[in-house]
Amino acid sequence: MVKQTFPRELRLLTPEDFQNVFAKPVRAASPQLTLLARINDCGHPRLGLAVPKKVLKRAVWRNRIKRLLRENFRLKQSELPNVDIVVIAKSGIGKLSNEELQKLIDSLWRKLTRRYNG
């Protein structure tokens, strides 16, 4: 059985981790989300989130988006390539329902996986 937890090792924690992804990323984007990814040496995917206050003013709105993104990543991590991923929220994301956001992030994971697997 595949472990589906979200421990500290699966997160991008330092500014250097984020800068490494921003340096030469592979992109998967939609009007509401942008995924930036770069190969890592960890042997597993890692996730970093950027949900700016400029996009979603209230903390509860930002936390909802982050919670849904983390949960979706936790469930899909075994299908993803060994990359560091930074998810950047853009305007309009707050208008999506939970189901619409789940469908959107699933399609972006698939797009990103296709780009790395050829």
Side-chain angles (χ1 to χ4, degrees):
M1 178 155 176
V2 178
K3 258 185 147 176
Q4 293 187 326
T5 60
F6 191 63
R8 190 172 176 87
E9 300 87 47
L10 295 181
R11 297 185 303 207
L12 297 178
L13 299 171
T14 65
E16 292 80 27
D17 292 340
F18 280 85
Q19 287 303 319
N20 184 36
V21 176
F22 291 139
K24 290 182 96 173
V26 170
R27 292 179 186 268
S30 76
Q32 296 87 8
L33 283 175
T34 298
L35 270 61
L36 304 175
R38 189 157 183 203
I39 294 285
N40 68 27
D41 300 330
C42 300
H44 52 78
R46 296 191 303 171
L47 179 69
L49 300 172
V51 183
K53 194 184 275 191
K54 189 174 186 179
V55 172
L56 293 167
K57 298 284 185 230
R58 303 223 168 184
V60 291
W61 299 341
R62 293 191 300 276
N63 292 340
R64 173 186 152 252
I65 299 300
K66 291 189 281 189
R67 187 174 55 248
L68 291 168
L69 291 168
R70 279 193 305 264
E71 179 65 9
N72 194 291
F73 176 81
R74 184 184 70 80
L75 296 172
K76 302 285 182 184
Q77 67 187 345
S78 62
E79 303 167 19
L80 296 172
N82 296 335
V83 294
D84 289 342
I85 303 166
V86 175
V87 179
I88 303 170
K90 297 192 284 189
S91 60
I93 195 166
K95 293 179 175 65
L96 296 177
S97 69
N98 290 356
E99 294 80 23
E100 291 170 330
L101 185 58
Q102 294 295 343
K103 287 179 186 174
L104 174 63
I105 193 70
D106 283 341
S107 70
L108 291 174
W109 291 144
R110 282 193 301 277
K111 189 185 290 188
L112 197 63
T113 302
R114 274 196 311 270
R115 291 193 176 157
Y116 272 104
N117 293 337

